[in-house]
Amino acid sequence: MIAATSLNVIVIGAGLIGPRHARHVNLNPTTTLYAIIDPQESTTETASSLETRHFYSIDECVHHAQQNGTAIDAAIICTPNHTHVAIAQQLASMGIHLLVEKPVATSIKEAQVLQQAVAKSGVCVLVGHHRRFNPYVLSLKHNLSKVGRIVAVQGSWCLQKPQTYFDLGHWRKSTRAGGGALLINLIHDLDILQFLFGAITRVYAEPLPRQRDHEADEGAALNLRFKNGVVGTFICADNVVSPFNFEAATGENPTVPKHAGLAGLYQVFGSRGTLSFPDMKLYHQDEAVVSSWTNQVEETKLEVVDEDELPFSLQLEHFVDVVRGRAKPMCGIDDGVSALRCIEAVMKSIQEEVPVNTEF
């Protein structure tokens, strides 16, 4: 547990997501951005704009802090996916608490290595599935009971990634390096679906037709079964023009324009109604009548509580509470591993062209 002073936080990685995390660290009154660490020389300019230091390596940063009598309390790891485990192990061995961007690793085997290292070090770990903190998601979870017994869910995450996205991070072109729409993007939605409906136990996946000359996948169409009997479908695509993605629907990512009024990104079907997300419209019938297709379906708009709260800010506040011992991780390593296990099942299903249980 850390004393109740401002936490000194370092951000590892200055790509797309690192500076975004760093800005929230600067804005939080209980955290201090000690440095950004990245081997790229251009990061010096990024660090300067954030009024912090730039170091080329973790060792260089830690040595500087020790020389100045400063303790680094926590780190946010925002590096390419295949580097997460090695960096997290290094930091954990130094007693530095961790917020690891998703995916926690690129394989279950790697993730288990990290689990062992963390257990040995005693540091706290939060996995960065930040959408668990999104006010829209929290409001959806709060209102699920209104549909009665949940029977099925359908959803999508579909957009067009520009070529610059891949040019700025060549690792994104390779599944082996942690790239591809499944490991980078679908893992978010599968984590949210498990957060909402419980464990996914079986998947069947068909790959989307490729449109790029890359090794990495471009998405898939899924059939899902949950442990509680709920079934679902989901389409993930990073090669189509579409507003039907979490970023455009909720406006949570400033680089993706919000599509105002978007409805039906997720649809939750139940015995007493259907709930549409993120528009939060509940379609239901009068409780005084027997549910039937002969009766009018009513429409009720539900409230999104704290709609303007930013998920990254809420996640950081929670991380501080975890480090201080005031809360248990809302998304710990076990949750990160569970989402990763689902992705591995999706990949195996595509490869073998059969349904796959997540515990294979």
Side-chain angles (χ1 to χ4, degrees):
M1 186 183 300
I2 302 294
T5 57
S6 180
L7 294 182
N8 285 318
V9 180
I10 56 176
V11 172
I12 324 291
L16 289 178
I17 207 72
R20 190 173 169 195
H21 275 290
R23 284 190 286 273
H24 286 284
V25 174
N26 268 343
L27 291 171
N28 189 304
T30 68
T31 56
T32 299
L33 181 62
Y34 186 79
I36 293 183
I37 300 171
D38 193 290
Q40 300 296 322
E41 191 170 335
S42 58
T43 304
T44 300
E45 184 177 343
T46 302
S48 177
S49 69
L50 291 163
E51 299 182 340
T52 192
R53 307 167 185 84
H54 169 219
F55 295 102
Y56 292 94
S57 70
I58 293 171
D59 288 337
E60 181 187 2
C61 177
V62 171
H63 178 72
H64 180 276
Q66 290 174 341
Q67 290 293 104
N68 289 274
T70 302
I72 295 174
D73 301 307
I76 304 176
I77 300 175
C78 312
T79 55
N81 294 342
H82 64 284
T83 67
H84 285 182
V85 170
I87 291 173
Q89 283 181 283
Q90 181 183 1
L91 292 164
S93 71
M94 299 175 179
I96 296 173
H97 301 285
L98 306 172
L99 197 171
V100 185
E101 260 299 337
K102 61 81 207 166
V104 66
T106 56
S107 71
I108 296 297
K109 186 176 180 179
E110 277 190 342
Q112 290 171 338
V113 169
L114 180 58
Q115 282 179 310
Q116 294 171 2
V118 166
K120 184 178 179 180
S121 69
V123 301
C124 303
V125 180
L126 183 69
V127 180
H129 284 286
H130 66 271
R131 291 180 187 169
R132 289 189 178 214
F133 299 89
N134 190 291
Y136 287 90
V137 171
L138 295 174
S139 294
L140 175 60
K141 187 175 178 69
H142 176 74
N143 285 289
L144 285 177
S145 62
K146 291 181 171 63
V147 306
R149 180 181 178 183
I150 299 170
V151 174
V153 59
Q154 69 177 24
S156 59
W157 184 91
C158 300
L159 49 60
Q160 180 70 261
K161 290 178 180 174
Q163 185 57 40
T164 53
Y165 173 86
F166 300 97
D167 293 340
L168 292 172
H170 290 284
W171 64 271
R172 298 187 182 108
K173 301 177 183 180
S174 169
T175 301
R176 290 186 297 273
L182 301 180
L183 194 54
I184 293 177
N185 306 111
L186 178 63
I187 195 168
H188 260 314
D189 287 285
L190 294 187
D191 176 70
I192 288 303
L193 291 176
Q194 292 197 119
F195 179 60
L196 294 171
F197 309 114
I200 294 170
T201 57
R202 189 168 67 215
V203 302
Y204 175 68
E206 289 280 5
L208 298 188
R210 291 180 178 275
Q211 299 189 64
R212 305 186 186 97
D213 187 23
H214 299 167
E215 181 266 329
D217 69 85
E218 298 175 29
L222 313 180
N223 285 328
L224 304 169
R225 176 169 289 279
F226 296 80
K227 186 176 182 179
N228 59 10
V230 173
V231 295
T233 61
F234 200 90
I235 295 178
C236 171
D238 72 359
N239 61 8
V240 299
V241 175
S242 167
F244 287 93
N245 56 82
F246 196 94
E247 293 85 344
T250 65
E252 75 157 33
N253 188 333
T255 66
V256 178
K258 184 174 182 178
H259 194 92
L262 190 75
L265 180 66
Y266 296 166
Q267 293 181 61
V268 182
F269 302 95
S271 59
R272 296 295 301 175
T274 294
L275 185 52
S276 178
F277 172 88
D279 51 307
M280 296 303 294
K281 287 183 179 178
L282 176 66
Y283 298 91
H284 59 99
Q285 292 181 330
D286 191 320
E287 292 186 2
V289 302
V290 176
S291 297
S292 168
W293 63 359
T294 60
N295 296 325
Q296 179 67 41
V297 174
E298 308 293 338
E299 179 182 312
T300 301
K301 173 74 172 177
L302 304 179
E303 181 185 7
V304 177
V305 179
D306 298 325
E307 181 176 350
D308 296 328
E309 292 282 355
L310 299 176
F312 273 66
S313 292
L314 295 173
Q315 179 180 245
L316 181 60
E317 290 174 10
H318 177 68
F319 183 46
V320 171
D321 286 341
V322 169
V323 171
R324 295 199 188 284
R326 297 193 295 248
K328 293 182 178 180
M330 183 184 286
C331 188
I333 290 186
D334 288 347
D335 298 299
V337 169
S338 181
L340 186 58
R341 197 179 298 279
C342 290
I343 292 297
E344 288 200 354
V346 169
M347 291 179 173
K348 185 176 182 181
S349 178
I350 289 173
Q351 181 180 9
E352 299 183 2
E353 300 183 348
V354 294
V356 173
N357 294 330
T358 57
E359 296 289 344
F360 57 86

